[in-house]
């Protein structure tokens, strides 16, 4: 006797390998006889065309006929005893509407996404679930809420690819018995409250201002070191100061031709100031 787990697995696949039985064979031969009697009119009703991207799951007296669906091309369906269901194998796009989620750091946000999947086993998709597309859609919503509820807001904003990959893995494992293979999961948009957006913008602006002040201070320090080195070089070679003066004069003359600057040494100004002070003292003594 088979174990309960094996029986459950076989029942999930939806394949009944038992024979038709006596009554089933009788109905089968009667169906063939009816098709032969009404030939060639019946052939147009029994032959069905299955497209390249479709598969047909045939039920004969309520039982699936093979482990693998039929098609593409022409298939033969017996009258009165055969019923078939077409299954589309193309990739389906499932849009997940915005879900209101409470993150791990107690922030309310709305997240929407999209899931791409396809049916790889038409028999499992027909036999194991009532509406495979609706079931996948609801499962994708629930999985998105469960996964994002364990993440913080910063993790959601910065780790979308990792979160999408984990959601894809969970969906693929859950829908394997349904004949579904999840190809890709993408998180489209993360919406946060307006007040939180303003707070995050203010925080980012303050961070940028602090970084700008640090960079300006570092620039001033580097400039002062460069000026110190330049002054030491100029102090060692007075001719270099004269050449620098001529270069500066050339630059000023190029920009403003009517302006010429003549720098005077500070010791010369001090000497002129000393002479003027001495003359004033002599005049006072004469007076």
């Amino acid at each position: 006797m088979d174990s309960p787990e094996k029986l459950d697995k076989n029942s999930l696949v939806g394949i009944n390998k038992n024979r038709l039985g006596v009554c089933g064979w009788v109905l089968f031969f009667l169906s063939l006889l009816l098709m032969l009697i009404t030939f060639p009119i019946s052939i147009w009703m029994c032959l069905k065309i299955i497209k390249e991207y479709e598969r047909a799951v045939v039920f004969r007296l309520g039982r699936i006929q093979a482990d693998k669906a039929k098609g593409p091309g022409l298939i033969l369906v017996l009258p009165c005893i055969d019923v078939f269901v077409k299954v589309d194998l193309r990739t389906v796009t499932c849009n997940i509407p915005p879900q209101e989620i409470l993150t791990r750091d107690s922030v309310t946000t709305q997240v929407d996404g999209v899931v791409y999947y396809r049916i790889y086993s038409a028999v499992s998709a027909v036999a194991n679930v009532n509406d495979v597309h609706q079931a996948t859609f609801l499962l994708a919503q629930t999985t998105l809420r469960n996964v994002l509820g364990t993440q913080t807001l910063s993790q959601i904003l910065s780790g979308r690819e990792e979160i999408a990959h984990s959601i894809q893995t969970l969906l693929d494992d859950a829908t394997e018995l349904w004949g579904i293979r999840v190809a890709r999961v993408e998180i489209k948009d993360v919406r946060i409250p307006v007040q939180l957006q303003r707070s995050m913008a203010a925080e980012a602006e303050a961070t940028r201002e602090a970084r700008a002040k640090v960079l300006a201070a570092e620039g001033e320090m580097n400039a002062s070191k460069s000026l110190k080195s330049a002054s030491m070089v100029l102090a060692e070679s007075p001719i270099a100061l004269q050449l620098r003066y001529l270069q500066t004069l050339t630059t000023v003359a190029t920009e403003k031709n009517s302006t010429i600057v003549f720098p005077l040494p500070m010791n010369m100004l001090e000497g002129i100031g000393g002479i003027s002070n001495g003359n004033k003292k002599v005049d006072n003594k004469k007076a």
Side-chain angles (χ1 to χ4, degrees):
M1 182 178 293
D2 294 336
S3 62
E5 295 181 357
K6 188 175 180 181
L7 291 176
D8 293 339
K9 186 176 181 181
N10 291 335
S11 62
L12 280 174
V13 176
I15 305 298
N16 193 339
K17 296 183 178 180
N18 295 331
R19 297 182 178 181
L20 294 177
V22 178
C23 295
W25 283 110
V26 171
L27 293 176
F28 174 76
F29 286 115
L30 289 177
S31 177
L32 287 177
L33 181 61
L34 178 63
M35 185 179 66
L36 293 176
I37 292 174
T38 57
F39 188 83
I41 298 175
S42 62
I43 196 67
W44 300 105
M45 300 176 61
C46 297
L47 289 178
K48 303 295 181 182
I49 299 176
I50 305 300
K51 298 179 181 178
E52 184 68 30
Y53 56 84
E54 293 178 339
R55 297 295 183 271
V57 181
V58 180
F59 293 87
R60 179 165 296 169
L61 296 176
R63 297 176 177 177
I64 297 178
Q65 288 305 296
D67 296 344
K68 186 178 180 181
K70 296 183 178 180
L74 287 174
I75 63 171
L76 180 64
V77 179
L78 297 179
C80 302
I81 62 173
D82 284 353
V83 177
F84 73 98
V85 178
K86 287 184 179 181
V87 179
D88 197 332
L89 301 184
R90 292 177 293 182
T91 300
V92 179
T93 304
C94 176
N95 287 319
I96 304 176
Q99 302 292 312
E100 188 171 355
I101 298 168
L102 183 64
T103 61
R104 193 175 65 183
D105 52 352
S106 300
V107 177
T108 302
T109 180
Q110 289 186 349
V111 181
D112 57 351
V114 59
V115 179
Y116 301 92
Y117 67 92
R118 60 182 295 269
I119 298 175
Y120 73 91
S121 176
V123 175
S124 299
V126 172
N128 294 340
V129 63
N130 182 20
D131 189 346
V132 64
H133 298 291
Q134 182 68 13
T136 305
F137 173 70
L138 296 177
L139 182 62
Q141 288 186 0
T142 306
T143 306
L144 178 66
R145 295 173 64 91
N146 293 337
V147 172
L148 294 182
T150 61
Q151 305 290 326
T152 61
L153 181 60
S154 60
Q155 291 175 346
I156 294 175
L157 295 176
S158 61
R160 293 190 181 186
E161 294 184 0
E162 292 78 6
I163 295 174
H165 183 69
S166 62
I167 293 174
Q168 177 183 351
T169 303
L170 293 175
L171 286 177
D172 206 8
D173 293 340
T175 58
E176 183 179 1
L177 294 177
W178 301 346
I180 296 292
R181 180 168 296 145
V182 180
R184 191 176 182 86
V185 177
E186 292 291 342
I187 296 177
K188 294 194 298 184
D189 190 16
V190 179
R191 303 174 186 175
I192 58 179
V194 179
Q195 295 180 354
L196 184 59
Q197 291 181 11
R198 294 175 181 174
S199 301
M200 295 175 65
E203 181 182 359
E205 185 177 358
T207 303
R208 287 194 298 269
E209 289 180 356
R211 190 179 303 170
K213 291 180 180 179
V214 171
L215 292 176
E218 291 179 354
E220 292 292 338
M221 183 178 64
N222 295 330
S224 63
K225 291 180 180 179
S226 300
L227 290 174
K228 180 181 178 181
S229 301
S231 64
M232 294 175 64
V233 173
L234 293 176
E236 294 176 357
S237 178
I239 302 300
L241 179 61
Q242 187 68 21
L243 294 175
R244 182 60 182 167
Y245 159 69
L246 293 175
Q247 185 180 4
T248 305
L249 186 61
T250 303
T251 305
V252 173
T254 303
E255 295 179 355
K256 296 181 180 180
N257 296 327
S258 61
T259 304
I260 299 176
V261 180
F262 292 97
L264 296 177
M266 295 299 297
N267 53 3
M268 183 181 294
L269 295 178
E270 292 177 356
I272 295 174
I275 294 173
S276 61
N277 292 331
N279 292 333
K280 289 182 180 180
K281 291 180 180 179
V282 172
D283 294 338
N284 290 333
K285 288 180 180 181
K286 289 181 178 181

